[in-house]
Amino acid sequence: MREDGERDVTDRAQPTGRHTPAVVPVAAQPQSLTPLLRDRESVMVYDRTHELGPEALRAILEAARWSPSAGNSQPWGFIVGLRGDDTHAAMVDVLSSANQVWAPSASAIILTLHQVATDEDHEIAYSDYAMFDLGQAVAHITVQARSMGLQVRQFGGFDHRAATERFAVPPHWAVTTGIALGLPAGPDDDAEMPDWVRTRARLPRSRLPLEAFVHSGKFGHPADFLAD
């Protein structure tokens, strides 16, 4: 707890598996992978008492600001709702019924946008890469959040048209995805959640092996260095 009464989460890295047990034995985990990525989880159960302060929120969004961008076009945008404010309440209204069950407990809900056309205020010469750039910006958000002991869950389950109208998004921008951001709850703090949320929250993480998607010579041939 800081002297100003706000909970300090800037260096509270959480251990892996608060809700998600490791899918492989510890000895088999890639130790070279930074813990910021190794311990990342798509959390569905958040600490309802945690409040995200302005300083922490600015740091998270600065990570997006400094992410790579084609031609430095920076074609991303974010609408931020903090739990308890009007923006957050409006966001909850447009969520799918399933996401309305768990997402409101996160400290913040963020809608992401990418620019799809030029306007008089912001020329965009690399629009073909706008969604790619937004993806990089969101990836930076997840890593920065993890460095502060927070977790992020990305989702697409919301009414995009309603969100566009509710937040007066201009036609040269596209509402793209949602982000739930907050402090993970403890492994036994999900009693109020329905069974399907508790089940999904405890699913083990799994990924395809590198051999399935890293190629050399031609597509479909696993990269030679993977056999070393």
Side-chain angles (χ1 to χ4, degrees):
M1 182 75 69
R2 299 196 325 221
E3 292 182 358
D4 59 7
E6 183 177 341
R7 298 176 67 177
D8 188 352
V9 298
T10 55
D11 56 5
R12 292 184 55 198
Q14 304 296 327
T16 184
R18 292 178 63 91
H19 286 280
T20 308
V23 71
V24 292
V26 173
Q29 292 181 16
Q31 298 303 313
S32 60
L33 189 64
T34 172
L36 298 179
L37 298 176
R38 189 182 65 232
D39 299 344
R40 184 199 64 79
E41 301 179 43
S42 294
V43 169
M44 295 185 73
V45 184
Y46 291 92
D47 182 343
R48 296 171 182 269
T49 68
H50 174 256
E51 295 183 3
L52 192 61
E55 182 179 349
L57 188 56
R58 286 184 64 92
I60 289 166
L61 294 170
E62 281 285 349
R65 180 186 177 209
W66 290 102
S67 64
S69 174
N72 201 28
S73 55
Q74 305 171 58
W76 47 65
F78 304 95
I79 301 174
V80 182
L82 295 175
R83 190 180 57 243
D85 70 16
D86 291 341
T87 302
H88 183 276
M91 289 179 175
V92 171
D93 284 344
V94 302
L95 296 182
S96 67
S97 57
N99 287 337
Q100 285 178 339
V101 172
W102 63 268
S105 64
S107 303
I109 299 176
I110 302 174
L111 294 184
T112 76
L113 306 90
H114 70 280
Q115 189 172 356
V116 296
T118 295
D119 75 329
E120 60 184 10
D121 298 321
H122 188 179
E123 182 176 351
I124 180 169
Y126 295 87
S127 59
D128 288 347
Y129 303 100
M131 192 178 294
F132 180 82
D133 282 3
L134 173 61
Q136 295 194 86
V138 173
H140 278 59
I141 285 176
T142 65
V143 174
Q144 178 64 30
R146 182 83 287 272
S147 76
M148 299 163 67
L150 305 173
Q151 292 280 18
V152 166
R153 184 178 183 89
Q154 303 177 45
F155 60 87
F158 63 96
D159 188 328
H160 288 62
R161 179 176 297 179
T164 298
E165 294 174 355
R166 180 72 64 93
F167 299 108
V169 177
H172 55 284
W173 286 87
V175 179
T176 313
T177 61
I179 299 173
L181 168 65
L183 185 68
D188 300 320
D189 294 341
D190 57 3
E192 297 181 6
M193 291 293 181
D195 289 343
W196 72 266
V197 172
R198 292 198 296 270
T199 298
R200 288 189 62 182
R202 289 178 167 83
L203 287 175
R205 296 180 68 194
S206 64
R207 285 295 188 271
L208 294 171
L210 292 177
E211 290 79 5
F213 58 86
V214 180
H215 318 287
S216 66
K218 63 179 181 179
F219 185 89
H221 181 272
D224 296 334
F225 71 87
L226 294 175
D228 295 339

